[in-house]
Amino acid sequence: MQKRTERIKAHDGSFDVHVWLPDSGSGPGILLIQEIYGVGPYIVKVAEELAGLGYVVAAPDLFWRLRPNWIGEHTPEGTAASIELAGRFDVPQAVADCALTLALLRELPEVSGGCGALGFCLGGSLAFMLATQTELDAVLSFYGSAVPEAAGLMERIGSPLLLVFGGSDPYIPRDQVATVEQVAAGRANVLMHVEEEAGHAFHNSESPMFHQPEPAARAWQVALAFLADHLPARP
C-alpha cells in the first residue's frame, strides 16, 4: 500500500488531501470525509482498510482554514476542543472542498471504475450534502447530525445512498432518525440501517468513549456489501 499527499487550490488558499493506493495500483475512488477529530488515526485506519480492499482513497484536511492538519485526541478534552473547532466550521465551504477533492480523485490516473463518498459524523453530513449536488456511484453517510434536518433534500439525490444511524444516539434522537426513515421510505436508491442499541460514533474504533464493537461490525458489513453492489473493487 502506498500513501501520498496531494495539494488542492481553493479560491481562498490551498489544502492537503491524503491519498492511499491499493497494492494493485488502481481501483475505484472513495472520498473519505473526516469527523471532528480530523484525518487522525481512526480515519487513517478506515482508509488503509479500504485501500486493502482495492480502493483509491482520498481524505481532505477540511479544517485547514481554522487549524491545518488538526488531529483531535479521543479524550474528553480532545473531544471538547474538536467540538469547539467544529462550531466555527463553515459547512458550505467544506462541501465545496469535498467537491474539489472529488474532482481531483476522478482525475487521478490510478482511479478506474467510478467514485463514491463515505463520511462519519461531521463527514456523514457532508457526504449527504455533496450528494445533493453531484452524482456518485455510492454515498455512505454514518450518523450525520445534519441529515435529519436536511432530509427533505433527499429528493435531489439520485446516487445509491446508505444512511447509518445509532438508535440510541444522544446527539441524533431516535425521533429524528425516524423522520429520515419516513423520507427514505419508497426510495429505491436509499438504504437505511439503524443499530438500535448503538450511540453516536459507534464505529470509531479509536475512541473508547464511543466505540461499540458489535454494532460497528454489523454496520460495517452492511457498508462493505453496499460498496460491493454499487462500487465494486478488486483487492
Side-chain angles (χ1 to χ4, degrees):
M1 185 184 307
Q2 298 181 40
K3 181 181 182 296
R4 68 172 184 258
T5 301
E6 301 276 351
R7 192 82 176 165
I8 288 182
K9 289 185 178 179
H11 69 93
D12 56 345
S14 59
F15 60 96
D16 288 340
V17 176
H18 307 281
V19 178
W20 290 260
L21 301 176
D23 287 339
S24 62
S26 64
I30 292 182
L31 168 63
L32 179 58
I33 310 177
Q34 68 178 64
E35 26 161 47
I36 62 172
Y37 299 103
V39 185
Y42 167 61
I43 294 298
V44 170
K45 182 183 292 187
V46 173
E48 290 177 345
E49 180 174 352
L50 291 171
L53 293 172
Y55 294 97
V56 177
V57 184
D61 170 30
L62 295 179
F63 282 167
W64 65 275
R65 292 181 180 88
L66 300 172
R67 289 285 299 273
N69 297 308
W70 166 260
I71 298 177
E73 295 184 359
H74 290 93
T75 62
E77 296 77 14
T79 299
S82 297
I83 291 173
E84 188 277 331
L85 196 60
R88 297 187 283 119
F89 186 61
D90 189 315
V91 171
Q93 291 270 33
V95 175
D97 290 345
C98 287
L100 288 173
T101 305
L102 181 62
L104 169 75
L105 189 61
R106 286 173 167 156
E107 293 173 359
L108 292 180
E110 297 92 348
V111 171
S112 61
C115 286
L118 164 63
F120 298 92
C121 304
L122 172 65
S125 298
L126 296 176
F128 182 88
M129 298 301 181
L130 179 66
T132 69
Q133 301 178 11
T134 188
E135 290 290 322
L136 296 113
D137 293 281
V139 181
L140 298 85
S141 170
F142 274 65
Y143 28 78
S145 60
V147 172
E149 185 176 348
L153 298 177
M154 204 179 300
E155 63 183 14
R156 301 184 187 178
I157 300 177
S159 308
L161 173 64
L162 171 64
L163 297 168
V164 176
F165 290 97
S168 302
D169 187 336
Y171 299 99
I172 311 174
R174 188 62 180 85
D175 62 334
Q176 293 186 15
V177 176
T179 297
V180 181
E181 289 177 307
Q182 292 169 7
V183 176
R187 296 185 182 275
N189 65 312
V190 181
L191 175 63
M192 285 281 300
H193 180 79
V194 182
E195 286 289 337
E196 295 293 352
E197 302 303 316
H200 196 67
F202 64 86
H203 185 263
N204 187 337
S205 56
E206 293 295 309
S207 175
M209 295 183 295
F210 295 119
H211 187 221
Q212 294 173 260
E214 292 183 5
R218 288 192 297 266
W220 192 239
Q221 286 306 308
V222 171
L224 293 182
F226 187 82
L227 284 173
D229 286 342
H230 300 288
L231 190 65
R234 292 184 303 168

